[in-house]
Amino acid sequence: MDYNFPVVRTTHPKARPEDETKLGFAKYFTDHMFAMDWDEGLGWHDGRVVPHEPLLIEPASCVLHYAQMMFEGMKAYRTQDGEIQIFRPDMNVKRMARTCERMCIPELPEDLLVAAVRAVIKEDIDWVPKAPGTALYIRPFIFGDEVSFSVLPAKHYRFLIILSPTGSYYAANDKGLHPTRIYVQDKYIRAAKGGTGYAKVGGNYGGGMRASQDAIKYNCKDVLWLDAQEHKYVEEIGTSNAFFKIDGEVITAPLDSGTILPGITRDSVIQLLKKWGVPVSERKLSIDEIEEASKNGKLEEIFASGTAAVISPIGTLCVQGEDYTVGDGNVGPLAQKLYDNIYGMQTGKVEDYMGWVYPLGLKA
Ligand code: COI
């Protein structure tokens, strides 16, 4: 469909952050956002680009009470020639549809997400950062907005896309990476079979915050979740999927339990490893197997993958207060190679030999 969204430009453009090497994650937001509404009988309507401003919301709005919402995470990158491109947006469209289905949120037409992302980035193109390791983080989200305390799907929804020039989620060194400490969570759980683990919903993250507080106590940046039933098999990290390289084999949790977020970077890592001939398995991996490998010197690498996290190496696992060093505790060569290839393709420094990059046809 040929969308032609009207634009209301801000009358108060903000000063852009001066030092792009100190952006952090989602601390600054651009001048504009995309907004669209859904109503019964009308469907999705009135897509528009408007100034990024606080929302007016009724305190009895159902989302504030029952959290009927979903979100996505994407990034836009600037190449050396000033082309603006995004990464595998078809995967975000598919995941968004699955999340909406799970949350009883009306699905968007398939081509709408990319059209809306393009429309809002067009207004804020100068905000796409240039510095190494940076990108424009894109946060599309939908929430039910109806004055109602009935535990039923809303009859009115709001779809917004907001943008944030961003650096790495975890602290990085001059090569874009820095190993982090991760806390293995064996008390709380993130997701159980039949729940919302595979969907991108705020509740999955809000419910994880108690566990992140435990992690912080042990000087760790995040948690590694274990399965809900046995508290034995590794699932994912608070913000991202997790990969373990043990004795040459790279292992990540399988998606079939419905408790793992199907990450786009996760899928990209698996595809790249297969292409490079590195053995990769989507299989159950117990924390005991990891501890054993660490004791035998076979735990070569652990890294997280995600849109925000990109590829984030893990140098230490903290299991019940005991530290397990991963490899030599530094950035592993496979994590570095994956980061260089994925971020390289995204920013146009490495040829897109997987056909993953999606140029928006915008030039800064
Ligand atoms: C992303 O990587 O885009 C996410 O949504 C994870 C979030 C916790 C930062």
Side-chain angles (χ1 to χ4, degrees):
M1 194 152 134
D2 196 10
Y3 295 100
N4 196 2
F5 302 116
V7 178
V8 177
R9 287 204 180 83
T10 182
T11 50
H12 301 89
K14 291 173 246 182
R16 292 201 299 278
E18 268 169 33
D19 187 352
E20 284 192 354
T21 63
K22 295 198 173 67
L23 289 174
F25 181 73
K27 285 198 203 145
Y28 304 95
F29 288 90
T30 66
D31 284 325
H32 297 91
M33 63 186 184
F34 179 84
M36 196 166 192
D37 296 276
W38 185 94
D39 285 279
E40 258 185 346
L42 279 177
W44 287 107
H45 64 91
D46 282 310
R48 59 214 182 264
V49 176
V50 291
H52 178 121
E53 281 172 354
L55 300 174
L56 204 58
I57 189 159
E58 163 62 45
S61 175
C62 53
V63 68
L64 301 179
H65 303 271
Y66 305 137
Q68 192 198 6
M69 68 82 68
M70 64 78 53
F71 71 95
E72 266 299 323
M74 309 166 76
K75 279 178 175 169
Y77 310 85
R78 184 197 287 260
T79 69
Q80 259 158 357
D81 304 335
E83 298 287 345
I84 306 301
Q85 48 195 35
I86 54 178
F87 188 69
R88 308 188 70 189
D90 53 313
M91 299 279 287
N92 296 93
V93 169
K94 286 188 196 126
R95 188 170 63 186
M96 203 164 176
R98 288 194 299 270
T99 304
C100 285
E101 191 281 328
R102 180 67 179 80
M103 295 303 288
C104 302
I105 292 173
E107 274 179 40
L108 294 174
E110 242 183 47
D111 56 352
L112 186 83
L113 179 69
V114 171
V117 162
R118 187 181 186 281
V120 64
I121 292 183
K122 191 172 171 209
E123 295 311 312
D124 286 337
I125 197 160
D126 293 338
W127 286 80
V128 184
K130 298 186 188 68
T134 63
L136 186 73
Y137 187 73
I138 305 167
R139 175 53 68 87
F141 60 109
I142 304 176
F143 59 95
D145 185 24
E146 185 192 350
V147 175
S148 169
F149 283 175
S150 302
V151 184
L152 288 171
K155 295 195 176 71
H156 175 236
Y157 294 86
R158 296 166 81 168
F159 169 38
L160 299 171
I161 303 175
I162 54 175
L163 308 172
S164 169
T166 277
S168 47
Y169 190 88
Y170 300 110
N173 63 11
D174 57 347
K175 284 191 181 151
L177 297 183
H178 178 70
T180 51
R181 277 170 66 83
I182 297 291
Y183 179 78
V184 178
Q185 176 55 246
D186 56 4
K187 180 174 166 197
Y188 302 107
I189 57 146
R190 173 184 174 274
K193 227 174 181 153
T196 56
Y198 67 89
K200 209 144 170 68
V201 301
N204 289 346
Y205 298 83
M209 287 176 192
R210 172 52 51 210
S212 331
Q213 292 307 295
D214 283 4
I216 291 166
K217 272 193 240 149
Y218 287 92
N219 196 25
C220 291
K221 286 270 185 265
D222 216 326
V223 291
L224 173 63
W225 292 107
L226 300 180
D227 74 288
Q229 233 168 339
E230 295 180 69
H231 292 211
K232 182 172 172 187
Y233 299 102
V234 295
E235 296 243 306
E236 62 182 70
I237 292 170
T239 58
S240 37
N241 296 114
F243 285 85
F244 302 80
K245 183 162 182 257
I246 296 178
D247 201 16
E249 180 195 14
V250 182
I251 307 151
T252 194
L255 300 181
D256 53 12
S257 61
T259 58
I260 304 290
L261 189 84
I264 293 155
T265 316
R266 173 190 181 278
D267 182 79
S268 307
V269 166
I270 294 171
Q271 287 201 45
L272 282 176
L273 294 179
K274 285 185 177 161
K275 189 171 180 71
W276 297 340
V278 178
V280 54
S281 319
E282 293 175 74
R283 69 164 173 90
K284 283 170 124 183
L285 173 67
S286 72
I287 194 68
D288 299 342
E289 202 179 326
I290 295 170
E291 285 179 57
E292 188 67 19
S294 170
K295 284 178 187 148
N296 297 337
K298 292 189 171 164
L299 180 58
E300 296 166 25
E301 292 192 39
I302 306 181
F303 54 87
S305 71
T307 300
V310 197
I311 300 292
S312 295
I314 289 148
T316 311
L317 265 193
C318 183
V319 188
Q320 295 182 325
E322 196 176 334
D323 276 4
Y324 289 82
T325 305
V326 182
D328 62 2
N330 289 314
V331 179
L334 191 60
Q336 187 71 57
K337 183 174 173 184
L338 284 161
Y339 177 85
D340 291 345
N341 275 267
I342 293 174
Y343 186 64
M345 283 187 234
Q346 290 166 333
T347 50
K349 288 197 189 83
V350 170
E351 195 213 318
D352 175 22
Y353 55 91
M354 301 300 281
W356 284 339
V357 159
Y358 186 102
L360 285 175
L362 299 172
K363 203 160 175 165

